[in-house]
Amino acid sequence: MAQPIALLSVYDKTDLIVLAQGLQKAGVRLLGSGGTAKKIRDAGIPIEDVSDITKAPEMLGGRVKTLHPAVHGGILARSIASDKQDLEAQGISPISIVVCNLYPFEATISQPNCTLANAVEEIDIGGVTLLRAAAKNHERVSILSNPVDYAGFLKAYTEGQGDVGQGFRSKLALKAFEQTAKYDEAISGYFREQYASAELSADKLAGSVQRMALRYGANPHQKPAQAYVTEGELPFKVLSGSPGYINLLDALNSYALVKELQEALNLPAAASFKHVSPAGAAVGVELDETEKKVYGVDDLKEPLTLLASAYARARGADRMSSFGDFIALSAPCDLATARIISREVSDGIIAPGYSDEALDVLKKKKAGKYCVLEIDPSYTPPAIETKQVYGIHLQQKRNDCKIGPELFQNIVTQNKDLSSAAVTDLIVATLALKYTQSNSVAYAFHGAIVGIGAGQQSRIHCTRLAGGKADLWWLRHHPRVLALPFKKGVKRAEKANAIDLYVSGEVLEGGEKAQWEGLFEGTVEPLTSGEKKEWATKLDGVACSSDAFFPFPDNVHRAKKSGVKYLAAPSGSVMDEECIKAADEHGIVFAHTSLRLFHH
């Protein structure tokens, strides 16, 4: 039986001598490259140079050492007759153990004075090739890529009389493949930064933009931060301002929502996002005169387009939550929409395009620092998405389910009169839930979200929260609210806050009360509980959707209090029948869907 051969070529020489001694004691013939062979030889352990079998010296300053058929033929040869014949014909001996680790590329590029030339020289070629070749042929070859495995390998090799077993070889092969993958990722990431980053000047940009540096992550202390793709190009570009990490979370989630809304309903759509959940979302349904006043666009000089109407509804549903929002539009931003945005406190906008007039308006916002992103409307994200939590990678198929009228065909109540307008509202509510932190419940009316309860652990709390917001939204339509005598010069945000305090009945005291009263001409009498109750009875035809089943009928009863006539939720609760009975009690149309929409 031929003497087994081990090839050693390492940068990290931790425990190298111990390993070499163990292999030599076990009767293994040692081959080494460059400094590896020298270190072993200096320790008095017999070892041959790789050049002894390649008959070729190291060259190009050490760039070429092990790249030779005598090496890789010996590693890649299988235990089959034809491969053995090839080796014999070429005078090549099989190699059964490869010990290799790589140049410290990541450590090199982390140095503040690292140059491009320094980085290039730390890209290991021969080492990666050895790792991949040995790992590929792990049915026969053992690949040791980390010194922590040396002791265990020697023990198994000795006990197995030269055979560590297929399980051990498979474990070592996986580790080698993971090492090369991580190494390649570090290299591509470095060159993405050098050649394809958005902040590069035109003469340094080698092609499409694949990366964008961010000021910081979710919080200022979380640095560095970036946004990037690993193939193709970033599907958006910055026209003004500078997006942050949370801006992009809001932008990309909100654009996905409005794109789906337009595809589902063939109407332009808008969304107002805060902290990765919609504060509001709507499609382009014309506003009546009262709605124009409620949404604060009755004084707009430009005629309201359907897109502008969509954003007025999305922003106006919950003005308190929308303060400082990130906006998404499904269609190119027009002047009327830009005019509305220019008057609101907002962090940024994403849209598939902008008219020249609209872009000019938006670029003036926040002294030129307003974030304006233009996204490629033809972009389709990959089918598989991955996120990392506490160092663990989680992967799943992207939630690409389609939401349309067919989802609401299974009506389980006595009342089955589902109008086309109600279907529109159910689609708006359900699609909003698809992009809302769970648990979530949404109320919609006239093509717009009017209340959303996001991120609650309890379903009933979602329903109450969303219903409470819908109630306040409806109270803002009250004639006495629309006639509040604000002093001249009161800002829009101040008005929104004052109206919210008024309709919610918040008890004010001291300086807060004096400040609130100072916004008005004369005394403002509160809405009585009787007035609120009477006004609440005037709201009817609201649609409500839940991202998972209703566990108890209390959700149905609460929804009815906010004018809900149409309800949609997945089935599956042991209390489904009780929820249906509650819906029948109120004459609600209840559709059981087959789709859970948790989002995290």
Side-chain angles (χ1 to χ4, degrees):
M1 183 177 177
Q3 183 182 16
I5 299 175
L7 172 63
L8 301 92
S9 180
V10 297
Y11 179 88
D12 179 0
K13 296 178 175 58
T14 302
D15 293 334
L16 176 64
I17 301 305
V18 174
L19 176 65
Q21 287 172 336
L23 291 174
Q24 196 266 335
K25 184 178 179 181
V28 178
R29 175 187 171 193
L30 305 184
L31 295 175
S33 67
T36 303
K38 183 179 185 303
K39 185 174 181 67
I40 293 172
R41 191 175 290 120
D42 288 348
I45 303 169
I47 185 169
E48 300 170 59
D49 289 313
V50 170
S51 59
D52 291 339
I53 66 167
T54 64
K55 309 304 180 186
E58 293 185 11
M59 58 187 297
L60 305 181
R63 282 190 170 196
V64 178
K65 302 174 185 175
T66 59
L67 296 171
H68 194 280
V71 172
H72 290 284
I75 295 171
L76 288 165
R78 295 159 292 183
S79 300
I80 59 176
S82 59
D83 282 11
K84 290 178 181 178
Q85 290 170 3
D86 285 343
L87 291 186
E88 289 173 3
Q90 300 300 323
I92 297 173
S93 298
I95 295 172
S96 56
I97 303 168
V98 175
V99 184
C100 180
N101 54 61
L102 307 174
Y103 295 166
F105 183 82
E106 288 183 272
T108 298
I109 62 173
S110 68
Q111 299 301 316
N113 59 347
C114 176
T115 65
L116 183 61
N118 294 148
V120 167
E121 286 308 310
E122 290 302 311
I123 299 174
D124 203 318
I125 303 301
V128 171
T129 310
L130 287 174
L131 287 173
R132 292 182 68 85
K136 175 177 179 174
N137 204 25
H138 65 277
E139 183 178 341
R140 182 181 66 78
V141 178
S142 296
I143 171 63
L144 289 162
S145 60
N146 193 317
V148 300
D149 296 315
Y150 294 172
F153 177 81
L154 286 174
K155 183 174 184 294
Y157 193 83
T158 302
E159 292 177 352
Q161 296 181 327
D163 184 6
V164 298
Q166 189 57 61
F168 203 116
R169 287 194 297 275
S170 297
K171 181 183 75 171
L172 294 175
L174 174 59
K175 182 175 285 191
F177 281 131
E178 288 173 338
Q179 187 175 123
T180 59
K182 183 181 179 183
Y183 197 70
D184 286 340
E185 183 180 0
I187 293 169
S188 62
Y190 174 78
F191 284 100
R192 191 181 299 118
E193 184 176 347
Q194 299 299 312
Y195 296 144
S197 200
E199 59 271 17
L200 295 173
S201 58
D203 61 311
K204 291 185 178 180
L205 192 64
S208 300
V209 171
Q210 291 189 312
R211 174 192 181 272
M212 177 181 295
L214 305 176
R215 296 189 303 277
Y216 50 79
N219 299 289
H221 65 275
Q222 292 177 263
K223 298 176 182 179
Q226 62 174 325
Y228 68 94
V229 293
T230 57
E231 57 184 45
E233 61 183 310
L234 276 178
F236 63 88
K237 56 185 177 181
V238 180
L239 304 184
S240 179
S242 176
Y245 184 90
I246 294 176
N247 289 154
L248 289 180
L249 289 177
D250 283 338
L252 298 173
N253 275 284
S254 61
Y255 180 73
L257 169 56
V258 297
K259 183 178 182 181
E260 285 198 55
L261 280 171
Q262 177 154 331
E263 289 172 350
L265 295 168
N266 199 30
L267 289 168
S272 170
F273 258 60
K274 285 285 293 294
H275 290 286
V276 206
S277 281
V283 291
V285 176
E286 288 188 12
L287 302 173
D288 62 28
E289 293 307 310
T290 298
E291 289 174 324
K292 289 178 182 178
K293 291 180 181 178
V294 171
Y295 297 133
V297 293
D298 53 315
D299 60 342
L300 195 72
K301 294 179 181 179
E302 288 77 16
L304 283 171
T305 61
L306 289 181
L307 184 65
S309 296
Y311 180 63
R313 289 183 184 278
R315 173 79 186 205
D318 182 359
R319 292 188 63 82
M320 301 300 291
S321 295
S322 284
F323 184 85
D325 64 351
F326 209 96
I327 300 160
L329 305 177
S330 68
C333 183
D334 53 39
L335 181 59
T337 307
R339 290 287 189 207
I340 297 173
I341 294 169
S342 70
R343 306 193 298 186
E344 306 290 4
V345 176
S346 169
D347 274 1
I349 179 174
I350 187 168
Y354 301 84
S355 71
D356 291 341
E357 299 88 351
L359 188 57
D360 184 58
V361 169
L362 295 173
K363 280 187 172 182
K364 293 176 182 176
K365 191 170 172 62
K366 293 178 74 170
K369 295 182 180 179
Y370 187 64
C371 182
V372 180
L373 305 179
E374 182 175 354
I375 190 164
D376 177 2
S378 67
Y379 172 71
T380 301
I384 301 297
E385 59 186 15
T386 303
K387 68 189 302 182
Q388 190 187 88
V389 180
Y390 204 57
I392 307 301
H393 295 272
L394 301 176
Q395 193 173 79
Q396 66 175 355
K397 177 178 177 289
R398 185 170 59 87
N399 189 356
D400 58 359
C401 66
K402 298 297 181 184
I403 294 170
E406 64 283 351
L407 187 63
F408 312 105
Q409 290 177 348
N410 183 26
I411 298 175
V412 293
T413 45
Q414 295 171 9
N415 186 352
K416 300 183 186 298
D417 186 13
L418 188 62
S419 67
S420 60
V423 170
T424 293
D425 290 343
L426 284 175
I427 289 174
V428 170
T430 306
L431 265 173
L433 295 177
K434 184 178 174 182
Y435 294 96
T436 301
Q437 297 297 304
S438 295
N439 291 313
S440 60
V441 170
Y443 294 55
F445 190 66
H446 284 183
I449 296 298
V450 296
I452 197 158
Q456 304 301 303
Q457 286 82 6
S458 166
R459 180 72 42 192
I460 186 59
H461 288 158
C462 294
T463 307
R464 290 172 184 165
L465 178 58
K469 290 188 175 190
D471 295 343
L472 296 180
W473 165 83
W474 179 237
L475 280 171
R476 285 166 44 212
H477 292 69
H478 195 287
R480 285 187 56 196
V481 177
L482 295 176
L484 283 171
F486 283 103
K487 290 179 178 178
K488 188 175 181 180
V490 175
K491 296 178 180 179
R492 292 173 69 84
E494 292 174 322
K495 286 183 179 180
N497 187 52
I499 291 171
D500 185 74
L501 290 169
Y502 183 67
V503 298
S504 66
E506 186 79 16
V507 177
L508 304 180
E509 297 177 343
E512 185 182 20
K513 182 179 180 181
Q515 184 182 34
W516 185 85
E517 291 174 340
L519 300 173
F520 302 99
E521 300 285 358
T523 302
V524 176
E525 294 297 328
L527 285 170
T528 66
S529 59
E531 287 176 305
K532 290 181 179 180
K533 276 188 177 180
E534 181 187 3
W535 186 250
T537 64
K538 298 179 184 296
L539 179 60
D540 188 38
V542 175
C544 173
S545 186
S546 173
D547 68 353
F549 62 65
F550 290 127
F552 299 103
D554 53 357
N555 290 275
V556 181
H557 295 308
R558 175 60 188 87
K560 176 59 181 176
K561 293 178 182 179
S562 296
V564 169
K565 187 175 180 180
Y566 308 100
L567 201 58
S571 59
S573 169
V574 295
M575 299 292 283
D576 276 348
E577 289 303 318
E578 294 301 315
C579 292
I580 293 169
K581 286 180 184 177
D584 282 334
E585 176 187 337
H586 298 300
I588 290 174
V589 181
F590 190 0
H592 266 173
T593 71
S594 57
L595 187 65
R596 195 181 79 175
L597 288 169
F598 282 169
H599 179 69
H600 292 285

